[in-house]
Amino acid sequence: MATEQNKLPAIISHCKEYGFIFPSSDIYDGLSAVYDYGQWGVELKKNIKDTWWKSMVYMHENIVGLDSAIFMHPTIWKASGHVDNFSDPMIDNLDSKKRYRVDHLIEGHAEQLAANSEEASNAILASMDQLLSKDDFAGLKQLIIDHKIKCPISGTCHWTDVRQFNLMFSTQLGSVADDSDTIYLRPETAQGIFVNFLNVQKSGRMKIPFGIAQIGKAFRNEIVARGFIFRMREFEQMEMQFFVRPGTQKEWYESWKATRMQWHLDLGIPKEKYRFHDHVKLAHYADAACDIEYDFPMGFKEVEGIHSRTDFDLTQHQLYSKKKQVYFDNDIDESTGKAYGNYVPYVIETSIGLDRTILMVLSEAYTEEDLSTPEKQDSRVVLKFPNKLAPIKLAILPLMKKDGLSEIAKELMNECRESFFCFYEEKDSIGKRYRRMDALGTPFCVTIDHQTKEDGTVTIRYRDSMEQERIKMSDVRNKVLEALK
Ligand code: ATP
């Protein structure tokens, strides 16, 4: 049985064995912090994307979608501040030649301290936050030295100075390499939204407040990538930028915090598994920011960021592109009796990592159950996904191939497959097939047997309770549809 400590390795091997997630380039021994989604992972991913898209775009009349290109004009990243500021303070150990993110190294040490003294652990974290907020790199190195923080590989304190490393990947556009042709793989999808703000506003006749939502790949050359799909070099984000009237950003920030937390709770994950974490050091563009943290197997960590980005991005793009990024607001300001007029909107961003959400959903769903009886040792691994996220909704299992049972099963398959994803299997014993469906997180299994031929009924088996009941085959489709509502 996996304990909380080895739950993550158990999830990683389950994902590989059952076709959810594979290391990228597996036959070449993988590529660090890059992963491929297999046949069931891709369904889970799609269902999470659909849930997010529906809640953001279909459920809000004033939010529309966008799919902007990954490659963008390089000046965008100058304007956004990423060329100058998108970096992490790093330190190298001279003996092991390993590079660490300074905050991760200190946090790791604080975790060890916490075993003996919560107070000592909090004190070092508070000092770190203070030094980070002042970009005091000499102070950070001194903190590491003073606390005798060792490299986990070499075990020595032989450290370089703390330096900044930019996290953007760059490449060349066109066939002749020239510095001026350097472009970046986007490190966030947000900038694609900002540079399309006026295109969408004008073509969609959008009135403030309104939002633009986008799901897409982002790339970061994370120096230390760990935690499976928690920190990847190529990942997906689901981001929404909400454009508001200046001065109303505080209210909207609070409102989006509540809306997004509700989305998480609607996944069926209990409240105590989440917490908000307010940022101490605000990014260069923000006037308020927090993370929604989930209690992953490795502890509470960020899954989503909610940021009040002010008018920073649009103002910067106005400056660099020399194109006005203003909105004309003809609503009447009650305090002056005049229209609000032209302004650069403020922005509230909600940004959630798709892959981190998948890890969260997997962590929540992964369950090992001891089913032993006095006669027999037994156990099962079951992924208790919410019905709407389960890759396969219904497994259709003829008891045997012969006697026309597989034909009846295929009829049911044809009746249901347009409405939701079904899976057909006739190999192995029924018990083995049920266990396999538990491991894939399939909420419903239906068995077709000889009685089906006589009275048109089938056995439906429920994943979580493992209970079975006999229902009419003609009711199966509606029963599953009802459960998906
Ligand atoms: P972290 O502090 O963990 O590096 P961040 O604060 O840099 O994250 P944001 O820039 O706010 O992250 O990005 C928004 C979301 O994108 C994060 O909440 C996270 O879910 C996701 N994300 C960011 N970096 C990665 C990554 N390397 N791999 C997977 N998801 C990521």
Side-chain angles (χ1 to χ4, degrees):
M1 289 274 163
T3 60
E4 251 338 272
Q5 281 76 28
N6 58 25
K7 188 168 174 186
L8 186 60
I11 291 172
I12 297 171
S13 66
H14 188 86
C15 281
K16 185 166 181 198
E17 185 179 349
Y18 286 94
F20 282 88
I21 301 167
F22 309 122
S24 155
S25 325
D26 203 13
I27 58 168
Y28 290 92
D29 299 329
L31 183 67
S32 166
V34 188
Y35 290 89
D36 296 339
Y37 285 85
Q39 62 276 33
W40 307 126
V42 80
E43 294 295 332
L44 176 61
K45 194 178 201 188
K46 182 179 171 301
N47 294 341
I48 293 175
K49 278 194 221 181
D50 288 349
T51 304
W52 184 84
W53 192 263
K54 185 173 170 202
S55 77
M56 294 309 245
V57 180
Y58 298 173
M59 299 306 285
H60 291 96
E61 279 149 42
N62 58 348
I63 300 184
V64 292
L66 178 78
D67 184 13
S68 68
I70 289 173
F71 290 150
M72 288 193 273
H73 195 287
T75 309
I76 287 173
W77 304 111
K78 269 258 161 228
S80 68
H82 282 81
V83 170
D84 295 326
N85 294 315
F86 194 59
S87 46
D88 281 331
M90 301 284 170
I91 195 163
D92 292 30
N93 182 268
L94 291 163
D95 297 316
S96 67
K97 311 275 185 269
K98 287 277 171 204
R99 180 166 293 165
Y100 299 92
R101 243 175 84 168
V102 167
D103 55 338
H104 288 170
L105 189 68
I106 298 174
E107 277 165 11
H109 181 72
E111 243 167 60
Q112 287 172 6
L113 287 181
N116 290 325
S117 159
E118 205 53 54
E119 214 174 298
S121 167
N122 290 340
I124 188 171
L125 289 176
S127 310
M128 176 184 81
D129 281 344
Q130 222 184 14
L131 294 165
L132 280 172
S133 69
K134 291 188 289 189
D135 284 336
D136 183 349
F137 298 151
L140 284 163
K141 179 170 179 185
Q142 202 52 51
L143 190 69
I144 291 171
I145 302 286
D146 290 348
H147 285 264
K148 301 192 175 57
I149 301 180
K150 296 192 180 88
C151 164
I153 307 285
S154 68
T156 70
C157 298
H158 204 184
W159 296 110
T160 61
D161 285 343
V162 173
R163 286 170 294 169
Q164 292 277 48
F165 283 88
N166 196 290
L167 301 182
M168 281 197 294
F169 284 101
S170 62
T171 186
Q172 304 295 131
L173 191 71
S175 56
V176 187
D178 179 318
D179 260 3
S180 62
D181 298 326
T182 298
I183 58 166
Y184 299 98
L185 297 188
R186 66 181 180 199
E188 61 177 27
T189 67
Q191 296 305 323
I193 297 180
F194 293 129
V195 297
N196 277 296
F197 159 67
L198 279 183
N199 281 339
V200 174
Q201 190 272 316
K202 292 207 160 104
S203 61
R205 301 193 296 162
M206 306 300 291
K207 253 180 91 78
I208 270 182
F210 75 91
I212 304 178
Q214 162 153 254
I215 300 177
K217 290 261 178 168
F219 305 83
R220 297 184 186 179
N221 196 3
E222 301 279 5
I223 307 299
V224 185
R226 340 169 245 229
F228 189 36
I229 54 170
F230 180 84
R231 189 173 299 285
M232 302 157 85
R233 297 205 164 97
E234 174 181 340
F235 58 99
E236 253 178 284
Q237 290 184 314
M238 306 190 285
E239 296 199 300
M240 194 279 303
Q241 309 296 326
F242 197 71
F243 300 91
V244 304
R245 191 177 287 149
T248 63
Q249 71 270 23
K250 283 256 167 323
E251 284 159 55
W252 282 112
Y253 173 67
E254 291 304 329
S255 154
W256 276 109
K257 273 174 74 171
T259 306
R260 290 305 305 150
M261 183 56 97
Q262 193 55 48
W263 182 84
H264 283 269
L265 300 177
D266 289 346
L267 294 177
I269 299 177
K271 215 163 150 192
E272 56 278 12
K273 291 295 214 61
Y274 289 109
R275 69 181 188 198
F276 281 112
H277 172 254
D278 291 321
H279 287 200
V280 181
K281 184 190 176 192
L282 289 174
H284 56 280
Y285 50 75
D287 69 358
C290 69
D291 300 330
I292 295 179
E293 294 186 338
Y294 166 76
D295 191 5
F296 285 97
M298 59 282 192
F300 273 100
K301 302 249 181 247
E302 169 178 353
V303 65
E304 171 158 9
I306 299 164
H307 310 126
S308 174
R309 288 183 84 127
T310 68
D311 58 355
F312 174 84
D313 301 88
L314 290 178
T315 305
Q316 286 293 99
H317 289 308
Q318 179 166 274
L319 191 71
Y320 279 75
S321 68
K322 303 194 176 54
K323 310 267 171 11
K324 281 222 169 317
Q325 298 298 308
V326 291
Y327 170 80
F328 180 72
D329 190 338
N330 56 12
D331 280 1
I332 302 298
D333 177 353
E334 279 175 14
S335 64
T336 63
K338 292 190 192 136
Y340 285 98
N342 283 318
Y343 56 78
V344 178
Y346 271 47
V347 174
I348 306 300
E349 162 181 84
T350 73
S351 173
I352 179 166
L354 176 54
D355 311 86
R356 274 190 203 178
T357 308
I358 292 171
L359 184 58
M360 172 177 88
V361 168
L362 281 166
S363 307
E364 204 54 34
Y366 183 89
T367 316
E368 293 179 5
E369 286 179 352
D370 185 357
L371 305 173
S372 299
T373 57
E375 293 78 44
K376 189 164 112 199
Q377 289 256 323
D378 197 9
S379 66
R380 69 166 182 163
V381 173
V382 49
L383 297 182
K384 295 187 171 177
F385 292 130
N387 294 338
K388 65 180 172 187
L389 300 186
I392 303 168
K393 309 299 186 204
L394 173 69
I396 300 177
L397 316 170
L399 191 63
M400 52 180 62
K401 256 203 238 175
K402 347 179 261 210
D403 302 340
L405 298 187
S406 57
E407 280 72 27
I408 301 174
K410 280 181 184 154
E411 257 171 51
L412 181 60
M413 196 63 194
N414 286 337
E415 188 196 326
C416 294
R417 69 196 324 165
E418 276 226 25
S419 309
F420 43 79
F421 189 50
C422 314
F423 182 77
Y424 175 88
E425 187 155 59
E426 52 189 26
K427 283 194 289 289
D428 290 330
S429 71
I430 273 294
K432 273 197 185 148
R433 280 184 269 171
Y434 283 158
R435 286 296 157 83
R436 196 172 153 71
M437 286 301 121
D438 290 342
L440 298 179
T442 306
F444 305 101
C445 291
V446 153
T447 306
I448 317 289
D449 56 18
H450 290 97
Q451 198 182 327
T452 314
K453 280 175 47 179
E454 283 159 28
D455 62 7
T457 63
V458 294
T459 302
I460 186 161
R461 180 216 188 235
Y462 304 102
R463 178 196 65 200
D464 295 353
S465 64
M466 295 191 287
E467 274 166 17
Q468 304 183 10
E469 62 174 324
R470 215 68 215 174
I471 63 168
K472 282 202 216 135
M473 190 164 102
S474 53
D475 288 342
V476 169
R477 180 172 160 273
N478 279 346
K479 191 164 181 93
V480 176
L481 279 176
E482 194 58 35
L484 290 175
K485 270 187 193 157

